């Protein structure tokens, strides 16, 4: 099913530069060359072709169970994902960590990412989706938490188009702004800008998945252990 669905997507003609995912969330002028997109699709095709024969040798030819974990900066996504990963056996892929890893690699792409993160803005989808896709490939996990992504509607559309699937569930940590500010105070100079970006660009993603019945909204105030009790109830009721 996973492979068949992906095959259908790969057979589609390459997207034109006017497709929604080719424009950035904030209409940034930073883009990859249009040729990067078909290259990414080719790599994806190779990944799933190579997995086609892996049913008997430990690889996952099945679509993994995917949980997007959303919430504002400081809402506790990373803290709760660590607990979910350890208690429920999920691979934890943090979009922010993947981007910081790319910065640390010293690549040219890393310089662009650093510049955008310093401004509290959103990195172009082509970059982030490719990092997530590669990390999913490398983890070969059948249950994946994607922490802090998608940040905007354009991220969401790019993921669904390039990876070829929707998340199974979306966890949304609902945290009052003053609590998020308190948690991040002194640590993050871009907090105000990041909160604005969250409200204007990330909340529409939560609304979209709410309309599809996929969102589990969790009150993200209280201690990390109290919040995890609510998280645990959700994950315990899931059939992976
Ligand atoms: N329930 C909580 N109460 C108080 N502080 C918290 C709570 N959860 C996380 N924190 C702290 O808040 C900061 C941000 O948490 P983090 O998990 O990194 O959030 P996010 O990934 O959403 O930005 C960290 O310093 C973390 O230790
Ligand atoms: O999919 C993503 C995830 C993160 N970021 C950038 O990376 C920063 C830090 O993200 P992270 O998820 O680490 O922050 P958190 O929300 O956990 O505080 C964000 O402000 C964005 O600038 C991004 O552009 N796209
Ligand atoms: Mg985080």
């Amino acid at each position: 099913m996973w492979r068949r669905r992906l095959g259908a997507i790969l057979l589609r003609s390459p997207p034109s530069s006017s497709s929604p995912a080719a424009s950035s969330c904030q209409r940034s002028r930073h883009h990859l060359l249009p040729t990067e997109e078909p290259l990414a699709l080719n790599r994806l095709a190779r990944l799933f072709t190579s997995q086609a024969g892996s049913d008997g040798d430990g690889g996952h030819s099945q679509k993994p169970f995917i949980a997007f974990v959303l919430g504002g900066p400081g809402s506790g996504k990373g803290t709760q994902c660590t607990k979910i990963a350890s208690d429920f056996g999920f691979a934890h892929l943090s979009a922010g960590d993947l981007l910081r890893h790319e910065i640390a690699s010293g690549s040219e792409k890393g310089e662009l990412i650093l510049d955008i993160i310093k401004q509290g803005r959103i990195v172009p989808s082509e970059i982030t989706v490719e990092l997530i896709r590669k990390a999913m490939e490398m983890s070969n996990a059948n249950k994946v938490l994607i922490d802090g992504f998608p940040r905007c509607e354009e991220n969401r559309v790019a993921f669904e188009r390039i990876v070829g699937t929707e998340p199974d569930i979306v966890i949304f940590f609902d945290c009052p702004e003053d609590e998020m500010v308190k948690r991040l105070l002194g640590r993050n100079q871009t907090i105000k800008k990041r909160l604005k970006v969250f409200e204007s660009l990330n909340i529409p993603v939560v609304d979209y998945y709410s309309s599809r019945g996929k969102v589990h909204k969790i009150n993200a105030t209280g201690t990390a252990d109290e919040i995890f009790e609510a998280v645990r109830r959700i994950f315990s009721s899931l059939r992976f």
Side-chain angles (χ1 to χ4, degrees):
M1 170 68 185
W2 172 237
R3 282 201 305 270
R4 213 173 302 135
R5 170 116 191 251
L6 188 81
I9 283 151
L10 291 171
L11 286 173
R12 278 187 211 152
S13 52
S16 73
S17 58
S18 62
S19 68
S23 66
S24 131
C25 295
Q26 308 104 323
R27 309 200 179 286
S28 155
R29 62 196 155 79
H30 301 299
H31 291 303
L32 296 186
L33 294 172
T35 51
E36 294 264 344
E37 190 95 68
L39 282 176
L41 288 174
N42 285 339
R43 282 196 290 273
L44 197 58
R46 276 204 300 281
L47 157 64
F48 284 91
T49 307
S50 70
Q51 284 192 351
S54 69
D55 285 350
D57 61 20
H60 289 291
S61 58
Q62 294 286 313
K63 172 198 166 303
F65 183 98
I66 297 173
F68 283 165
V69 180
L70 301 181
S75 61
K77 300 183 294 296
T79 304
Q80 296 297 325
C81 280
T82 303
K83 290 172 178 286
I84 300 166
S86 109
D87 280 24
F88 293 94
F90 274 69
H92 174 193
L93 306 182
S94 156
D97 285 352
L98 291 170
L99 292 168
R100 284 182 285 273
H101 190 259
E102 186 66 30
I103 294 171
S105 77
S107 72
E108 209 174 306
K109 218 178 270 180
E111 285 177 32
L112 166 66
I113 296 168
L114 176 62
D115 186 42
I116 294 171
I117 288 184
K118 275 200 302 199
Q119 297 174 50
R121 297 166 68 231
I122 298 170
V123 172
S125 299
E126 289 83 352
I127 294 178
T128 315
V129 172
E130 178 62 3
L131 291 173
I132 294 171
R133 189 197 64 73
K134 269 197 224 152
M136 285 172 69
E137 171 185 346
M138 281 170 70
S139 82
N140 201 26
N142 61 354
K143 290 180 274 184
V144 182
L145 298 172
I146 301 185
D147 166 6
F149 177 94
R151 278 331 235 226
C152 61
E153 276 288 279
E154 191 252 331
N155 274 178
R156 175 186 72 70
V157 171
F159 180 93
E160 292 186 356
R161 185 172 50 83
I162 295 171
V163 179
T165 187
E166 286 192 13
D168 295 277
I169 59 166
V170 177
I171 302 294
F172 171 51
F173 290 108
D174 186 22
C175 197
E177 208 169 285
D178 56 353
E179 176 68 21
M180 295 194 271
V181 171
K182 205 166 66 191
R183 290 180 191 174
L184 296 178
L185 216 57
R187 283 185 45 203
N188 203 317
Q189 290 162 1
T190 54
I191 181 68
K192 284 217 170 91
K193 168 73 178 171
R194 293 177 67 209
L195 285 167
K196 263 194 199 150
V197 167
F198 169 69
E199 274 300 322
S200 61
L201 299 178
N202 207 180
I203 289 294
V205 177
V206 176
D207 290 344
Y208 171 82
Y209 285 124
S210 288
S211 74
R212 299 181 61 77
K214 294 199 168 187
V215 172
H216 298 263
K217 182 161 119 175
I218 294 175
N219 176 351
T221 56
T223 67
D225 285 344
E226 283 164 357
I227 296 163
F228 190 60
E229 279 317 304
V231 172
R232 185 195 296 286
R233 278 196 292 279
I234 291 165
F235 278 85
S236 298
S237 70
L238 293 174
R239 288 165 61 88
F240 303 121

